[in-house]
Amino acid sequence: MGADPFEAAITVTRVLDESGALVRGAKKPDTAALSEGYRRLVFARRLNEQAGALVRQGRLAVYPSSRGQEACQVACASVLGEHDWLFPTYRDTAAIAARGVDPVEVLTMLRGDWHCGYDPVAHKVAPQATPLATQLPHAVGVGHAARLKGEDTVVMALCGDGATSEGDFHEACNFAAVFRAPVVFFVQNNKYAISVPLARQSVAPSLAAKAIGYGMPGIRVDGNDLVALQRVLGDAVARARAGEGPTLVEADTYRMEAHTNADDASRYRTEDEVAGWVQRDPLVRVRTYLTEAGVLDGAGEQEITAAAEDMAAGVRARLGEEAAVDPDELFAHVLSVPTSQLAEQREALRAELEFEEA
Ligand SMILES: Cc1ncc(C[n+]2csc(CCOP(=O)(O)OP(=O)(O)O)c2C)c(N)n1
Ligand SMILES: [Mg+2]
C-alpha cells in the first residue's frame, strides 16, 4: 500500500467528467476500446429495459434493474480473462450478459425456474446470489483454491453497499487479505439497500476505506465513468494475478430505478435526487466523449441501437414462448433419499395432474 492508503480510498478516481470531457491530467482512452465499451453500455441499458418490460408482461417474476449502474456492469466483466471467475448478485444480470452469457439463460431464474439457467462452470460465473454477501466467502474460496493449485485465476466478487454490513463481507475480506487471495471485491455503492440510505448503512469515511482495516488497498472510483472503472478494476485484477492479494474497489454510483418492480422508491427518495443522478448518466458521458473525438456519429449510433434492438427482440421472443415445465421436477434434487412425506406429496401431485388431464 502507498504512503497514505486513505487518499485512494476516499478521493474518487475519475477519467471522464460528468460532461464527457477528459479530466485534466488524465491519460486519453483508446477510442477503439471505448467504442466497444459504449456498445456494451447500450446493450446493458437495453437489456435492463427489456427485462423490466418482460416483468410487466408477466414473463418474468421480478427484475432488479441496474439502470444507472451499466458502467459498473460492463467494466467488471470486461477486465476479466476467460479463466477468471465472476461472482454476481441478483442485480448483476447485465454484467453476466457482458461476460458473454446468453441473456435468456441468465433471466431463466427470474422467470421462476428452480436452477440458475446457465452453466456456472462453463462460463466461470457463479449463480446470482440473493442472500446478501453469502457469495463473497465462496468467491474467496475459489480464488484461494486456484492459487493453491498454481493457477493464475482471478475472482471478481460483486456486492452492494448494504451487503458491506454483513458478517460474510467481513469474513471474506479478512480471509482474502490474510491469505492474499486473488480477489477483487467490487462494491457497487448505489446509495440504497432497498429503502435504507447509505447514511443509515455506514458512517465509515467511505466503503473503500473499510479495506484498510483488513490490510488491503481500497480504491474509490466514479461508478458512472466507464474508463475510470476499467482502469481501476484492471489494475486490481493485475495485482491479484501477480500474487499481490485482494483489493476492495468501491464504485460511486446510483440505482436509477426502484429496487425491483415490487418496490415503490418514491416512498423513500425524492424525484430531485434521482434527476440529479440522471444528469450523470454513464452512457451519455461516453457518447459525448466519442462524438467530440469524431469517433461516433449518427450512423454509428444508429447501428449500435439497431444491434441492441435485435438482441432485445431475441430475448423478448424467446422469453415470450411458453416454458415447458415438468411439475415433477419440484421433487427432484431435494434429498438423495426422499422422505416418505415427499414421496406421498409427489404421488398426490401426479394423481391430481392425471385427473386434470383426464
Ligand atoms: C442476508 C440477507 N438479508 C436481507 C436480505 C433482503 N434484501 C434483499 S436485497 C437487500 C438490499 C441490498 O442492498 P445492497 O447490498 O446495497 O444491494 P443493491 O440491492 O442496492 O444492489 C436486502 C436487505 C437478503 N436478500 N439477504
Ligand atoms: Mg445498494
Side-chain angles (χ1 to χ4, degrees), residues 6-93:
F6 271 106
E7 199 183 320
I10 290 170
T11 316
V12 177
T13 301
R14 192 171 283 131
V15 176
L16 297 184
D17 69 17
E18 286 162 20
S19 70
L22 193 70
V23 167
R24 190 191 294 263
K27 190 171 141 268
K28 275 190 180 180
D30 173 76
T31 48
L34 190 54
S35 298
E36 177 53 29
Y38 180 61
R39 175 182 293 270
R40 288 171 177 227
L41 288 176
V42 172
F43 270 61
R45 170 79 37 103
R46 190 64 189 87
L47 182 58
N48 275 321
E49 289 170 351
Q50 185 56 62
L54 284 163
V55 173
R56 292 191 291 278
Q57 291 162 12
R59 293 295 177 187
L60 295 179
V62 68
Y63 185 68
S65 170
S66 61
R67 188 183 183 94
Q69 300 175 221
E70 288 95 342
C72 296
Q73 298 282 299
V74 168
C76 69
S78 68
V79 296
L80 294 179
E82 207 187 319
H83 299 293
D84 296 333
W85 272 84
L86 180 68
F87 275 71
T89 77
Y90 50 87
R91 196 167 305 285
D92 302 311
T93 295

Side-chain angles (χ1 to χ4, degrees), residues 90-91 130-132 159-163 166 190 192-194 255 259:
Y90 50 87
R91 196 167 305 285
T130 296
L132 303 178
C159 73
D161 43 297
E166 291 284 343
N190 64 7
Y192 288 91
I194 314 186
R255 191 194 77 212
H259 174 70

Side-chain angles (χ1 to χ4, degrees), residues 147-236:
R147 204 150 172 259
L148 291 177
K149 287 193 271 179
E151 297 163 358
D152 71 349
T153 307
V154 174
V155 181
M156 177 74 63
L158 311 184
C159 73
D161 43 297
T164 65
S165 301
E166 291 284 343
D168 276 343
F169 173 83
H170 159 72
E171 289 164 30
C173 287
N174 191 57
F175 192 103
V178 169
F179 291 93
R180 293 172 84 83
V183 178
V184 179
F185 295 100
F186 182 39
V187 181
Q188 290 171 74
N189 176 359
N190 64 7
K191 310 296 179 284
Y192 288 91
I194 314 186
S195 56
V196 177
L198 185 66
R200 302 306 297 267
Q201 192 65 250
S202 173
V203 290
S206 73
L207 299 178
K210 293 188 176 200
I212 294 156
Y214 298 108
M216 66 172 142
I219 319 279
R220 199 163 170 220
V221 58
D222 185 331
N224 289 14
D225 178 351
L226 179 66
V227 185
L229 282 158
Q230 284 177 324
R231 286 184 191 171
V232 166
L233 290 170
D235 288 350

Side-chain angles (χ1 to χ4, degrees), residues 332-353:
H333 316 299
V334 180
L335 297 166
S336 57
V337 182
T339 59
S340 57
Q341 291 93 333
L342 205 59
E344 263 173 41
Q345 289 167 16
R346 186 176 203 156
E347 237 358 272
L349 179 67
R350 196 174 294 163
E352 185 156 337
L353 290 173

